[in-house]
Amino acid sequence: MEVGIDSFASAMYGSDNLNGVDAMEQFLNRIILADEAGLDFFGVGEHHKREFLDSAPDVILAAAAARTKKIKLGSAVKVLSTDDPVRVYQSFATLDLISKGRAELTVGRGSSTEAFPLFGYSLRDYDALFSEKLALLLQIRDNEFTTWSGKFRPAMNNQPVYPRALQEKMPIWLGVGGTPESFVRAGTLGLPLMVAVIGGETERFRPLVDLYREAGHRAGFSPDQLKVGLHSPGYVAQNAEQAIADYYPGYAKLWTKLGQDRGWAPVTRPKFDALVAPKGVLIVGGPEEVAEKLLNHSEALGGIDRFAFQMDNAGLSHEQLLQATELIGAKVIPLLKKSI
């Protein structure tokens, strides 16, 4: 199981007085530490909101690529529906060259919809945009010259797209929430699957993961081609008590605020405790508890190939995030390797 971190480059963690320059420098330093600590990958999301600095994830990843050596670098997720697949491929192919073959893409429709009006797209075309642009992106990745026509972009007539990635087939993961059609689409295309689970119990996604594997099998893909990743909120401290003490106040504040916008009930301590419980989605605890919970989640989903911590969503300080990253590399990953 690969283990890494997904981040939205929050500009609001820990201090209301942190400016964008300092927040970005600290963010890049956390990616550098993740590389040095032996984590497998680091993903940067895409949002177009004041509280995040990740509207141009490829630029951040390129800066990180120049300052790291081994860690895989990718999107988490790239909102493909509101972008041009040609430019997306070019940006990440360039990242692949800078990083010497460490670039990846995770693409999705986007659970935050602010990019649609910003770039002149209609939410009425939410799925049609993604389906068409994903098909074009895959064609560009797999072919130097592209002939293509569609509804949302000018046609291409045997046109080359440069630069080409260093990797012969740069990985493109499909980021999904809870829509069965998305799981089937990923399986039919033989794309690795990244499942974002942010609430409830992780095991409830098993039927959807089974749909993915069944669709992939029917399409002729082997089990080793059908990778499953899991993205969930989490945090690691020296022990479970410290982790909860660090994490709960900021988590409750943020998710209660989000709930006001999205219609969720406020976070209470009993609800939080249920999420931290063995079957709950939050991967919060000391290294031993976290490693055990990851193994349990993997078993519940029939095996996972990658896990991504989403940590900068609970008002944690830069120092706390650095310590958590060090613990993931020094203790959680070795415990997982020993158990597996």
Side-chain angles (χ1 to χ4, degrees):
M1 183 194 305
E2 292 184 327
V3 179
I5 293 172
D6 285 344
S7 175
F8 299 158
S10 173
M12 297 179 66
Y13 66 88
S15 171
D16 293 333
N17 299 318
L18 195 68
N19 62 51
V21 171
D22 292 338
M24 185 63 77
E25 182 62 23
Q26 290 182 0
F27 182 51
L28 289 171
N29 286 336
R30 294 200 295 276
I31 301 177
I32 293 167
L33 178 63
D35 181 46
E36 294 171 347
L39 276 65
D40 295 294
F41 71 96
F42 202 105
V44 179
E46 179 188 345
H47 297 81
H48 302 269
K49 297 179 178 180
R50 182 177 183 178
E51 60 265 35
F52 301 115
L53 297 172
D54 62 346
S55 64
D58 48 326
V59 177
I60 298 173
L61 292 165
R67 299 168 66 177
T68 55
K69 296 179 180 179
K70 296 181 179 179
I71 196 166
K72 298 175 185 176
L73 299 167
S75 55
V77 301
K78 179 66 182 168
V79 185
L80 184 61
S81 305
T82 59
D83 212 328
D84 182 353
V86 174
R87 293 299 287 159
V88 170
Y89 177 81
Q90 289 175 325
S91 295
F92 280 83
T94 303
L95 173 64
D96 204 44
L97 297 176
I98 295 170
S99 66
K100 298 180 175 62
R102 294 184 281 131
E104 299 187 351
L105 261 166
T106 299
V107 298
R109 297 182 296 181
S111 60
S112 297
T113 59
E114 70 276 359
F116 284 80
L118 182 63
F119 295 110
Y121 290 99
S122 172
L123 284 170
R124 292 191 300 271
D125 300 318
Y126 185 69
D127 190 67
L129 279 163
F130 182 72
S131 180
E132 179 178 297
K133 293 189 176 190
L134 177 61
L136 176 56
L137 178 64
L138 293 174
Q139 187 172 338
I140 293 169
R141 180 195 65 173
D142 297 341
N143 301 278
E144 183 175 349
F145 290 81
T146 296
T147 297
W148 176 92
S149 64
K151 178 180 177 182
F152 300 105
R153 188 197 186 283
M156 300 178 67
N157 184 19
N158 197 38
Q159 290 173 272
V161 177
Y162 300 119
R164 304 305 299 174
L166 177 62
Q167 298 176 82
E168 183 177 351
K169 202 161 189 173
M170 185 170 58
I172 297 178
W173 294 67
L174 190 59
V176 300
T179 307
E181 292 79 8
S182 296
F183 287 79
V184 172
R185 172 160 44 206
T188 301
L189 295 171
L191 297 177
L193 181 78
M194 180 56 69
V195 187
V197 183
I198 61 173
E201 296 183 349
T202 300
E203 65 181 17
R204 67 191 172 93
F205 280 78
R206 177 62 183 268
L208 295 171
V209 173
D210 287 344
L211 273 179
Y212 163 70
R213 293 184 171 121
E214 291 165 6
H217 177 72
R218 288 195 304 269
F221 295 101
S222 61
D224 63 297
Q225 292 176 287
L226 302 171
K227 295 182 179 181
V228 176
L230 178 62
H231 160 112
S232 290
Y235 174 64
V236 187
Q238 292 291 347
N239 55 64
E241 292 77 13
Q242 187 63 54
I244 291 172
D246 290 347
Y247 192 81
Y248 174 70
Y251 176 86
K253 180 179 178 181
L254 173 66
W255 290 85
T256 296
K257 181 178 182 298
L258 288 175
Q260 294 172 351
D261 298 331
R262 300 191 181 188
W264 302 334
V267 175
T268 62
R269 185 56 190 263
K271 290 180 180 178
F272 176 81
D273 290 342
L275 293 173
V276 176
K279 291 186 177 182
V281 66
L282 294 183
I283 313 293
V284 176
E288 294 78 12
E289 291 88 0
V290 165
E292 182 179 1
K293 195 165 186 179
L294 288 179
L295 291 170
N296 291 340
H297 280 358
S298 180
E299 181 178 0
L301 295 178
I304 60 175
D305 301 280
R306 173 177 288 187
F307 178 78
F309 285 90
Q310 214 291 316
M311 294 195 295
D312 58 354
N313 59 354
L316 298 164
S317 70
H318 176 58
E319 289 71 24
Q320 288 171 318
L321 293 170
L322 288 174
Q323 182 183 60
T325 301
E326 289 179 333
L327 287 170
I328 292 169
K331 295 189 176 182
V332 174
I333 291 176
L335 285 169
L336 288 172
K337 289 181 176 179
K338 181 179 180 180
S339 298
I340 292 172

